[in-house]
Amino acid sequence: MPWRPSVAGELPTLGWGVLDWMTDILAAPDRPEYEPFVPTREQGEFILRFYELDPVTGKRLRRRAVLSRPRGWGKSPLLAAIACAEALGPVLFADWDDDGQPVGKPWCEVRTPLVQIAAVSEKQTQNSWVPLLEMLREGPARDEYPGLEVLDTFVNLPRGRIEPITSSPASVKGNKPVFAVLDQSEEWVRSNGGLKMAKTMRINAAKIGGSTIESPNAFTPGDGSVAEESAAYWAQIQEGRARDDGLYYDHREAPAATDPADRESLVAGLRVAYGDSSDHPDGCVLHDPPCEPGWSPIDRLVADFYDPSNDVQTLRADFLNQVTHAADAWVSAPDWAGVAATAKRIEPKDTIVLGFDGSRRRSHAVTDATALVGCRVSDGHLFLLGCWEQPDGALGKNWQVPTTEVLATVDEAFATYRVVGMYADPAKWESHVATWEARYGKRLRVKATVQHPIEWWMVGGRAVQIVRALEKFRSAITDEELTHDGSSALTRHILNCRRRMSRSGLQIAKEHPESANKIDAAVAAVLAWQARVDAVSKGLGKSNRAAPGGGRVIVLR
């Protein structure tokens, strides 16, 4: 019988059967006496999503997942429980029942299961390995599964094996795990072999239709960790630059406006980050009615923030789960998120200025991006009109910027809005910038120079002006003078910027010249903001102040 949904938009899932199996078979770890393992509602929601099925074929939809939560939330016991279920429980589709709901079966009915708990150090593997041993030793598992041997260094299944691994990529190559945990993937980097090991393990699982789950805390941008790469892949999926091929990305952090210096704000941020595990007496903030208080000590965490011997930046990552910034980052993620205003709308005929940074095909590495950013003069709201980037993989081979599309987007912006200024870095686009100047120069109220109203070089002999423009933009973020539309591409480019000192002052650049992490939309935003500053100095835009939430956004791609 085919699957029948009970709620519109719902997908079939084996998660309900997995949850029942966990509660019946596994013991809660770290208890003086036996208690069944009962996931929180929030954890249960993750399991339901992870085990979603194709409603026609019954095939599992998730080949990999990322579960990102703060330290102490309960990732390790949850992943230990999922590892046990993958080893013994009903995690594969068998059939539909009389009500059209999926019925599961264990891996052992298909093949000998191998389950791995992986980390880049032995100490890290203990995070999930120790609770896994307790779950199987203290509960009914050994009675229900004759032949189950729970040893300190591995678990013999009636058929198959669970093992912790910290070995090199070469030594795990060829293994065929049905499931693997990649624990603390924010620490899996090139220098410790983590990047290659993650790729090897995913390939191993793919050979037999297995799956993996990463369990990072907030990563540090620029480290090049597995967690950072997974976040970038998810961003590509959201932007339509990569196919959604089975990744379930579940990351939650405290709101960007959380102020560690304000107790009320900090407590509210911690409650969001910790969700159902928060021990706040008012219960969780995720569900209505709220779940009962959990185990994560909110007051104790607040005290850590107020301890002057602790680094607040580290606490933000560990306890608020906020992806902040690299040591040389120009703008931090919380600062940029703090000025997002996704409810604002840009109306046709609004008075705006434009910023443009272009590129062409390069002979080496990855082609730079081309970006066009608008800024409403009345309130300083930035919005992305277009960002053209080289796709990853085979689709990006021999890719060139679609010049015709870019030119059409610029023309459309001038036709749609009241454009009073446009600053463009003309590098590699000199002829097109000259055309724009000839076509639109006379109507512009804000001009870079009298001879060249649009041309605004970001290189060469204008170092002092560039430094000042960057300072104005950075101060506008800090002082909350600007807002932005929340565009993922613009956000990514802003956060990719790295500080670089020059003789004239602070400038920005990519992490290295051939980096695939582009900053062109950030440069376009800086140019748009400089044009807006110049427009305001001329008294423009005062009568065209748009109210938040009204109208619509026109996004040209």
Side-chain angles (χ1 to χ4, degrees):
M1 176 182 294
W3 175 70
R4 296 197 299 268
S6 57
V7 178
E10 180 188 19
L11 287 174
T13 177
L14 293 171
W16 295 111
V18 171
L19 288 169
D20 288 342
W21 183 91
M22 288 178 177
T23 303
D24 290 341
I25 300 299
L26 302 179
D30 197 23
R31 299 290 194 278
E33 297 181 0
Y34 167 76
E35 295 178 25
F37 175 74
V38 180
T40 66
R41 180 174 173 181
E42 182 183 1
Q43 293 173 341
E45 289 166 351
F46 175 83
I47 290 173
L48 293 176
R49 292 295 308 277
F50 182 64
Y51 286 102
E52 283 181 336
L53 305 174
D54 183 293
V56 176
T57 65
K59 181 182 178 181
R60 280 175 54 175
L61 297 176
R62 315 297 184 190
R63 64 182 177 86
R64 57 183 286 202
V66 175
L67 177 61
S68 174
R69 291 294 190 276
R71 296 189 187 278
W73 175 85
K75 297 189 299 295
S76 295
L78 176 63
L79 295 179
I82 295 175
C84 292
E86 290 282 341
L88 296 165
V91 297
L92 296 181
F93 173 73
D95 204 348
W96 308 105
D97 66 16
D98 292 340
D99 295 323
Q101 299 302 312
V103 177
K105 63 182 178 182
W107 271 104
C108 66
E109 294 187 17
V110 177
R111 63 175 300 111
T112 301
L114 171 64
V115 172
Q116 295 178 323
I117 308 293
V120 292
S121 71
E122 184 175 351
K123 182 178 179 180
Q124 285 182 359
T125 62
Q126 299 304 304
N127 295 335
S128 294
W129 186 249
V130 171
L132 182 146
L133 297 181
E134 287 189 67
M135 288 175 168
L136 294 176
R137 283 172 174 165
E138 305 301 328
R142 286 189 287 188
D143 293 333
E144 294 291 330
Y145 295 93
L148 179 67
E149 292 183 288
V150 186
L151 306 176
D152 288 344
T153 55
F154 63 92
V155 175
N156 272 330
L157 306 172
R159 183 183 177 194
R161 180 183 176 96
I162 310 174
E163 61 184 16
I165 59 170
T166 58
S167 50
S168 68
S171 64
V172 300
K173 189 174 183 179
N175 291 342
K176 296 179 180 179
V178 299
F179 176 74
V181 172
L182 281 60
D183 204 6
Q184 290 187 248
S185 59
E186 80 280 6
E187 297 184 15
W188 293 41
V189 294
R190 187 176 304 278
S191 61
N192 59 26
L195 294 182
K196 188 172 182 181
M197 187 170 179
K199 292 176 182 177
T200 301
M201 295 188 70
R202 291 188 191 122
I203 291 172
N204 289 345
K207 295 174 184 176
I208 56 173
S211 59
T212 62
I213 298 180
E214 292 174 42
S215 57
N217 297 108
F219 61 86
T220 299
D223 279 358
S225 65
V226 169
E228 185 175 10
E229 286 195 344
S230 295
Y233 176 43
W234 178 245
Q236 291 170 6
I237 292 172
Q238 298 301 102
E239 295 168 19
R241 297 190 300 117
R243 288 183 55 189
D244 183 357
D245 191 18
L247 172 63
Y248 174 39
Y249 194 86
D250 189 342
H251 167 84
R252 192 176 66 252
E253 62 185 70
T258 300
D259 181 2
D262 181 290
R263 181 182 176 83
E264 184 177 350
S265 174
L266 179 57
V267 168
L270 288 167
R271 292 183 67 193
V272 170
Y274 279 90
D276 285 0
S277 75
S278 162
D279 74 345
H280 194 277
D282 291 339
C284 80
V285 297
L286 303 181
H287 305 113
D288 187 16
C291 300
E292 292 294 318
W295 58 85
S296 297
I298 300 300
D299 285 342
R300 174 65 175 79
L301 298 177
V302 168
D304 280 340
F305 275 88
Y306 293 160
D307 185 338
S309 65
N310 290 330
D311 176 42
V312 174
Q313 183 77 355
T314 300
L315 296 178
R316 278 184 176 272
D318 286 351
F319 299 146
L320 296 177
N321 207 37
Q322 289 180 329
V323 178
T324 54
H325 58 276
D328 60 347
W330 183 48
V331 176
S332 74
D335 283 349
W336 183 247
V339 291
T342 57
K344 286 189 176 183
R345 296 293 181 262
I346 305 299
E347 293 276 13
K349 303 307 179 183
D350 274 354
T351 298
I352 72 166
V353 290
L354 299 173
F356 176 84
D357 187 47
S359 70
R360 292 294 184 87
R361 182 178 177 183
R362 298 177 65 185
S363 58
H364 299 288
V366 180
T367 302
D368 282 338
T370 292
L372 180 67
V373 174
C375 183
R376 185 162 52 201
V377 177
S378 63
D379 62 354
H381 183 63
L382 292 163
F383 57 101
L384 184 69
L385 284 160
C387 185
W388 296 267
E389 297 183 82
Q390 181 175 351
D392 290 336
L395 293 176
K397 186 177 181 180
N398 299 321
W399 182 85
Q400 298 184 50
V401 176
T403 305
T404 302
E405 183 179 338
V406 175
L407 297 176
T409 302
V410 172
D411 291 339
E412 182 69 15
F414 274 92
T416 303
Y417 307 108
R418 181 172 176 255
V419 180
V420 297
M422 178 181 183
Y423 290 168
D425 184 353
K428 303 178 184 178
W429 282 73
E430 289 92 339
S431 63
H432 297 298
V433 171
T435 299
W436 294 333
E437 289 181 333
R439 182 176 302 166
Y440 302 116
K442 290 183 178 180
R443 63 185 274 188
L444 298 178
R445 302 282 302 280
V446 178
K447 300 182 181 183
T449 65
V450 174
Q451 293 82 9
H452 294 287
I454 294 177
E455 182 180 290
W456 211 100
W457 285 93
M458 289 293 289
V459 295
R462 296 176 53 87
V464 173
Q465 293 94 325
I466 295 166
V467 167
R468 288 175 179 172
L470 293 168
E471 287 176 351
K472 292 171 187 175
F473 187 86
R474 184 66 183 83
S475 295
I477 297 171
T478 303
D479 298 336
E480 299 184 354
E481 294 176 356
L482 66 73
T483 57
H484 63 86
D485 63 357
S487 159
S488 59
L490 178 57
T491 295
R492 177 163 44 80
H493 284 220
I494 290 285
L495 299 183
N496 285 342
C497 293
R498 298 291 180 262
R499 300 191 307 271
R500 297 291 183 263
M501 289 302 301
S502 69
R503 287 181 295 179
S504 302
L506 186 66
Q507 298 202 30
I508 59 172
K510 297 186 294 184
E511 55 193 341
H512 58 81
E514 302 302 334
S515 172
N517 297 325
K518 302 306 176 186
I519 65 170
D520 306 84
V523 173
V526 170
L527 290 171
W529 185 253
Q530 180 62 49
R532 192 257 177 179
V533 169
D534 294 343
V536 170
S537 70
K538 292 179 175 291
L540 301 177
K542 293 181 179 179
S543 63
N544 195 26
R545 191 173 299 275
R552 62 192 179 95
V553 170
I554 297 177
V555 180
L556 306 175
R557 299 294 185 192

